[in-house]
């Protein structure tokens, strides 16, 4: 009897540390980003000054990737955006489409759009298979349109700028 918390995901090395609060799918997205982005990329980076732990921190570009494979409150999105910006980092949200980009948009998605936050969607599975895409599913068309796949490399221009959703804008890292 008593409270027992079994730690798992210890098999993820190369900078991803164990956590009992992450799903296998969440870890696969983190691991993919860590391996796909050039330069210093750290999983689960702790920011003591703002009391946050970033899912993935791309140190070279001052970018935080927040991976969401579960629902999140709009106020928490706003707080994370504010805190990471105060620390000098830009946030890119990766939303899993098992939860997000569905027929009815979640309040979290509305908050991201309201804040002008950069966000992408993923279909990544617990085995590390899947893709990232940038266009939201809107309207009533059935079946759902096939998402336009993107790669992490497409998020960075030759000038070192971050490319936002659908190439609608360019954001300088750290701004």
């Amino acid at each position: 009897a008593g409270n027992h918390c079994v730690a798992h995901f210890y098999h993820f090395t190369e900078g991803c540390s164990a956590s009992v609060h992450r799903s296998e799918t969440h870890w696969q997205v983190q691991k993919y980003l860590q391996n796909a982005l050039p330069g210093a990329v750290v999983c689960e980076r702790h920011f003591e000054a703002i009391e946050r732990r970033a899912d993935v921190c791309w140190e070279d570009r001052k970018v935080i990737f927040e991976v969401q494979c579960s629902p999140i409150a709009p106020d928490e999105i706003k707080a994370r955006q504010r805190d990471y910006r105060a620390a000098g980092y830009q946030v890119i949200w990766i939303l899993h489409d098992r939860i997000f980009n569905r027929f009815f948009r979640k309040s979290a998605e509305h908050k991201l759009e309201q804040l002008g936050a950069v966000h992408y969607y993923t279909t990544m599975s617990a085995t590390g298979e899947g893709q990232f895409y940038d266009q939201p599913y809107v309207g009533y068309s059935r079946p759902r349109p096939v998402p336009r796949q993107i790669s992490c490399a497409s998020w960075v221009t030759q000038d070192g700028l971050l490319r936002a959703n659908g190439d609608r804008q360019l954001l300088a890292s750290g701004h």
Side-chain angles (χ1 to χ4, degrees), residues 10 17 34 65 85-86 96-97 101-102 108 116 120 124 151 166 174:
Y10 279 106
S17 60
Q34 184 180 36
F65 290 89
R85 283 196 181 168
H96 202 286
D97 75 357
N101 204 24
R102 308 309 304 169
Y120 296 96
M124 188 75 62
S151 69

Side-chain angles (χ1 to χ4, degrees), residues 24-48:
E24 183 83 19
T25 299
H26 191 278
W27 277 115
Q28 290 291 349
V29 174
Q30 284 182 278
K31 187 171 135 182
Y32 177 88
L33 291 169
Q34 184 180 36
N35 292 329
L37 297 168
V41 180
V42 179
C43 290
E44 300 292 318
R45 183 178 183 292
H46 181 68
F47 288 83
E48 190 173 324

Side-chain angles (χ1 to χ4, degrees), residues 17-84:
S17 60
S19 172
V20 295
H21 303 292
R22 305 284 188 244
S23 69
E24 183 83 19
T25 299
H26 191 278
W27 277 115
Q28 290 291 349
V29 174
Q30 284 182 278
K31 187 171 135 182
Y32 177 88
L33 291 169
Q34 184 180 36
N35 292 329
L37 297 168
V41 180
V42 179
C43 290
E44 300 292 318
R45 183 178 183 292
H46 181 68
F47 288 83
E48 190 173 324
I50 59 172
E51 298 181 6
R52 294 267 180 208
R53 183 173 308 278
D55 288 328
V56 178
C57 179
W58 190 8
E59 297 284 354
D60 296 348
R61 302 277 194 230
K62 304 288 274 184
V63 175
I64 299 299
F65 290 89
E66 281 294 308
V67 178
Q68 283 306 129
C69 295
S70 60
I72 184 172
D75 289 343
E76 180 60 20
I77 288 173
K78 185 176 180 180
R80 289 184 196 183
Q81 285 283 120
R82 179 196 64 227
D83 293 347
Y84 286 125

